Amino acid sequence: MRASDKAYLRLRDEILHWRTPPGTVLAEVEQAQRLGISRTPIREAFSRLTAEGLLVPLAGRGLVVTELSRETIIDMFELRIALECEAARIAATNVERLSMTDEFENIHAELLNYENLIELGDELKSYYELVARLDAALDAAATNQFLLSAINQLRPHLARVRQLARDNKTRLVEAAREHLTIVEAIIAGDAELAADATSVHLKKSLNNILRSVDAAGGISKPLQGKGAA
Amino acid sequence: MRASDKAYLRLRDEILHWRTPPGTVLAEVEQAQRLGISRTPIREAFSRLTAEGLLVPLAGRGLVVTELSRETIIDMFELRIALECEAARIAATNVERLSMTDEFENIHAELLNYENLIELGDELKSYYELVARLDAALDAAATNQFLLSAINQLRPHLARVRQLARDNKTRLVEAAREHLTIVEAIIAGDAELAADATSVHLKKSLNNILRSVDAAGGISKPLQGKGAA
DNA sequence: AGCGGTACTTTTGTATACAAAGATTGGATC
DNA sequence: GATCCAATCTTTGTATACAAAAGTACCGCT
């Protein structure tokens, strides 16, 4: 793997997990020395992170990790809802033609399973893996490179926000039911239902995150412990 | 201006205006020599163009200008419709609070003017400038940095596609009316009407482009002459 | 004649030296 | 004491040399 890739992944991971919190200033030489590589691959990594919007140039002083506000999170979800509803719409339309019904049926069956098992802490990781599989299946069924690229552009920002909220058991059971509805709509080929169910799920997710933020008295640092994911 | 910026703008311009058509392979040393600068700023420019999706890496052979197909154009507009309808929705909601009603009223008045003047060739440039002003006003009223960033990501691709279509008088008059409807909906604060009017306009624009492409027997090279814009 | 391997060429990846631009701090002057 | 200017220092921007990796072509072998 290239040094620039390693630097990019590491810096991004540190930002996403709040080890380098918003407002932190990064300089080229400083990071080059810390990571034990030269400025060239660091510049490459910086430019990718800047293009993603995780860093913004600070005139003559290096790059700053983007701030995160309540409004920013709302804006993020506003775009996310538009994009993922569209993706769900397309997926529902294409699932049959792409012979992906089986894949969604499998996910559906496993979701039914996890709805009962979710209270067991051990199952949490598997549950998040299942949601990741659903996301991947949706991506595959969306078949629109531009839409996918826009969603992927948003993902790192969402990952950073996710660190702020802790999913409790109640919310997880609810989310599982919402996912079930989405999957069922896609299997049925009902595009508008898929879009609406996605909207419902995302708006409830947003509310859950905002509740966590407000309960913590604003955005300061991520929640600690195994609950966050 | 930095050498990397100059290189980026020039390379991008050449791609957008089909002087470097899809499929062209670009190498670092080659472009560095042509533009009279070193490889470092060229790499910077290449990485930005790659992030935008105008170039894709070709293993061990440099970077290749992204291909453009009929389906690609449809995908592009699918995303564009989702994004700009959302932007129009937000703009209609915010226009009053942002005190931007006057700006849209001005654009409205000028649109009414151009609807009559549009057949004069001299007015074409001014008309496109007016549409650009409308776009800018919409951006300002959208107030969602993530949504805007997604739209801006799409713009260069749309610019490249625009070179393929020639707007005839009939289409221009029609487009002016569609723009009028959008502006009126925003002034009225009617979010859903603004979104629907935007959808109408963009779907008709897409059809006009596809008609041009099909009439030319596929995507080969851009139309020549003053008509394209 | 086809296949495989090796050497060579081309291309990208990295390090580093140097240049330029901007910010900050110190001093001098009003 | 405040302000402006200048020198210095920090930081990014650019060029270039070198390393590594990948692709290609050629040659020998089967």
Side-chain angles (χ1 to χ4, degrees):
Chain A
M1 182 182 282
R2 298 178 298 181
S4 62
D5 290 338
K6 258 174 42 184
Y8 164 74
L9 289 173
R10 172 151 175 197
L11 291 170
R12 196 182 69 144
D13 188 73
E14 289 172 347
I15 294 171
L16 263 39
H17 291 86
W18 293 74
R19 285 195 291 277
T20 40
T24 309
V25 177
L26 301 179
E28 291 178 4
V29 281
E30 163 202 20
Q31 295 304 312
Q33 286 174 357
R34 186 171 71 92
L35 302 186
I37 56 180
S38 82
R39 279 178 58 215
T40 309
I42 288 286
R43 284 177 70 85
E44 169 85 15
F46 276 11
S47 89
R48 286 167 74 177
L49 293 167
T50 304
E52 284 183 351
L54 289 175
L55 298 179
V56 287
L58 185 64
R61 301 265 283 188
L63 299 164
V64 192
V65 177
T66 321
E67 298 285 352
L68 213 54
S69 70
R70 201 176 191 280
E71 278 64 42
T72 306
I73 296 173
I74 293 171
D75 282 357
M76 237 152 91
F77 269 78
E78 194 164 55
L79 175 59
R80 185 186 185 186
I81 289 166
L83 295 175
E84 296 203 4
C85 285
E86 187 64 27
R89 208 173 273 125
I90 299 172
T93 309
N94 288 344
V95 63
E96 199 156 353
R97 187 177 54 79
L98 296 173
S99 313
M100 286 189 61
T101 309
D102 285 357
E103 169 70 359
F104 282 100
E105 296 272 18
N106 286 339
I107 294 173
H108 185 262
E110 292 191 48
L111 268 173
L112 278 174
N113 235 15
Y114 278 110
E115 199 180 5
N116 302 320
L117 295 174
I118 217 163
E119 50 189 311
L120 304 168
D122 294 345
E123 301 294 341
L124 260 183
K125 185 161 165 290
S126 312
Y127 177 70
Y128 287 121
E129 279 169 10
L130 180 57
V131 172
R133 253 184 70 197
L134 173 55
D135 278 347
L138 280 167
D139 281 3
T143 65
N144 181 332
Q145 286 311 309
F146 289 93
L147 180 61
L148 248 61
S149 147
I151 291 177
N152 282 325
Q153 184 91 3
L154 202 54
R155 276 198 221 280
H157 297 273
L158 293 169
R160 192 159 61 135
V161 166
R162 204 171 299 131
Q163 305 295 320
L164 292 170
R166 172 168 297 163
D167 286 333
N168 54 33
K169 199 183 85 182
T170 311
R171 175 61 199 142
L172 281 172
V173 171
E174 198 180 41
R177 293 220 182 94
E178 291 159 15
H179 281 134
L180 266 175
T181 308
I182 295 171
V183 173
E184 284 165 5
I186 287 172
I187 292 172
D190 189 333
E192 283 317 306
L193 179 58
D196 290 345
T198 302
S199 177
V200 166
H201 170 59
L202 293 180
K203 283 175 180 167
K204 282 182 166 277
S205 294
L206 172 59
N207 281 336
N208 186 60
I209 289 170
L210 291 180
R211 204 156 39 232
S212 291
V213 168
D214 293 340
I219 297 169
S220 47
K221 51 187 175 186
L223 297 172
Q224 299 299 323
K226 58 177 180 175
Chain B
M1 180 181 284
R2 297 179 299 182
S4 62
D5 290 338
K6 259 175 40 185
Y8 164 73
L9 289 173
R10 171 149 176 200
L11 290 170
R12 196 182 69 144
D13 188 74
E14 289 172 347
I15 294 171
L16 263 38
H17 291 86
W18 294 73
R19 285 195 291 278
T20 42
T24 308
V25 177
L26 302 179
E28 290 178 5
V29 281
E30 163 201 21
Q31 295 303 312
Q33 287 174 355
R34 185 170 72 92
L35 303 186
I37 57 181
S38 81
R39 279 177 57 211
T40 309
I42 288 286
R43 282 176 71 85
E44 168 87 15
F46 275 11
S47 90
R48 287 167 75 179
L49 294 167
T50 304
E52 285 183 352
L54 289 174
L55 298 179
V56 287
L58 186 64
R61 299 267 284 190
L63 297 165
V64 62
V65 178
T66 323
E67 298 285 350
L68 213 54
S69 70
R70 202 176 191 279
E71 277 65 40
T72 305
I73 296 173
I74 293 172
D75 283 356
M76 237 151 91
F77 269 77
E78 194 165 54
L79 175 59
R80 185 186 185 186
I81 289 167
L83 296 175
E84 297 204 3
C85 285
E86 187 64 26
R89 208 173 274 126
I90 300 172
T93 309
N94 289 343
V95 64
E96 199 156 352
R97 186 177 58 78
L98 296 173
S99 313
M100 285 190 62
T101 309
D102 284 358
E103 169 71 0
F104 282 101
E105 296 272 19
N106 287 338
I107 293 172
H108 185 262
E110 293 191 48
L111 268 174
L112 279 173
N113 236 14
Y114 278 110
E115 200 179 6
N116 302 320
L117 294 173
I118 217 161
E119 50 189 310
L120 304 168
D122 294 346
E123 302 294 339
L124 260 183
K125 187 161 165 288
S126 312
Y127 177 70
Y128 287 122
E129 279 169 8
L130 180 58
V131 172
R133 254 184 70 196
L134 173 55
D135 277 348
L138 280 167
D139 281 2
T143 66
N144 181 330
Q145 285 311 310
F146 290 93
L147 180 61
L148 248 61
S149 146
I151 291 178
N152 282 325
Q153 185 90 3
L154 201 54
R155 276 198 221 279
H157 297 274
L158 292 168
R160 191 159 61 136
V161 165
R162 204 171 299 129
Q163 305 294 321
L164 291 170
R166 172 169 296 165
D167 286 334
N168 54 33
K169 200 184 83 180
T170 311
R171 174 64 199 138
L172 282 171
V173 171
E174 197 180 40
R177 294 220 180 93
E178 291 157 15
H179 281 134
L180 266 175
T181 308
I182 295 171
V183 173
E184 285 165 6
I186 288 173
I187 292 172
D190 189 333
E192 283 317 306
L193 179 58
D196 289 345
T198 301
S199 176
V200 166
H201 170 58
L202 293 179
K203 281 176 181 166
K204 281 184 168 276
S205 294
L206 172 58
N207 281 335
N208 187 57
I209 289 170
L210 291 180
R211 205 158 36 234
S212 290
V213 167
D214 293 340
I219 297 169
S220 46
K221 50 186 175 187
L223 298 172
Q224 300 297 325
K226 57 177 178 174

